Amino acid sequence: MAFQGQTVLPAVRGMKQLERLLELPYEYLVLLDTHIGQVRPIVELMRSRGKKALLHVDLIEGLKNDEAAAEFLCQSFKPAGLISTRASVVAKTKQNGLIAIQRLFLLDTSAVEKGYKLLERSKPDYIEVMPGVLPFMIAEVRERTGIPIIAGGLIRSSADVEQAVEAGAEAVTTSDLALWKHFAGRA
């Protein structure tokens, strides 16, 4: 089962959120908005508490989101996986045997069609569709690609989470502490 059955993948923005999250029973956590100098201590802290880090490469300050960065993160910090909008980062992550998550922004029909072509090349383990509040698009992307979906972005309520899962998402990323607490019993 994906992510040990977690319905929610808590997305952490900063140390205060991380401290709160470490008390909850989630195994997989997404690290957003950090500085390259903070990655090692954060990943080590997560690991010491039995947590697995999914690092969003594109949001790490001081690090370019390219193949070299992916290789560096995989080899130096050994997170559970990496998230990126870049196909080359996803491919390098897969080469290193980590969970590779490709972010797909559902801006308009053209962006979605270009995204499908990108996904054919990158072949990620998961696709994070953004925004995650479009159940019909979650279902379409899942059906068209055959790749498991994570929904993220604009998730504001437990109903949003439930609708995304009902549409076919394996999990939902959110930085909303109230939703972390609400779904903690399903972690």
Side-chain angles (χ1 to χ4, degrees), residues 166-186:
E166 287 171 16
E170 299 285 327
V172 175
T173 58
T174 179
S175 57
D176 187 313
L177 179 62
L179 290 175
W180 299 350
K181 289 180 178 178
H182 179 78
F183 287 94
R186 300 183 199 182

Side-chain angles (χ1 to χ4, degrees), residues 30-164:
V30 176
L31 181 60
L32 305 172
D33 300 330
T34 191
H35 183 275
I36 186 62
Q38 297 174 320
V39 175
R40 182 177 308 280
I42 290 173
V43 170
E44 288 175 357
L45 176 61
M46 287 179 175
R47 194 173 287 128
S48 75
R49 301 293 288 277
K51 311 296 183 185
K52 295 180 180 173
L54 300 168
L55 306 178
H56 195 305
V57 179
D58 304 353
L59 300 178
I60 299 175
E61 289 182 49
L63 189 68
K64 187 175 178 184
N65 60 343
D66 62 9
E67 288 179 55
E71 184 73 27
F72 171 73
L73 292 168
C74 291
Q75 296 299 317
S76 298
F77 306 125
K78 298 177 178 42
L82 300 179
I83 302 168
S84 181
T85 58
R86 308 227 5 189
S88 62
V89 170
V90 170
K92 186 57 73 175
T93 303
K94 286 185 67 115
Q95 285 176 5
N96 278 276
L98 303 181
I99 299 168
I101 303 170
Q102 176 91 44
R103 246 188 186 185
L104 175 64
F105 289 99
L106 307 173
L107 301 173
D108 58 23
T109 301
S110 177
V112 171
E113 290 304 318
K114 287 178 186 175
Y116 286 140
K117 290 178 181 158
L118 183 72
L119 293 165
E120 287 174 15
R121 288 194 317 267
S122 66
K123 298 185 183 355
D125 298 312
Y126 295 89
I127 302 166
E128 182 181 26
V129 297
M130 309 240 352
V133 291
L134 301 172
F136 68 98
M137 287 303 300
I138 291 168
E140 177 187 305
V141 173
R142 173 67 192 221
E143 183 178 315
R144 184 150 168 195
T145 65
I147 300 170
I149 303 297
I150 299 168
L154 301 178
I155 303 293
R156 296 184 174 154
S157 69
S158 59
D160 291 339
V161 173
E162 298 293 349
Q163 287 175 350

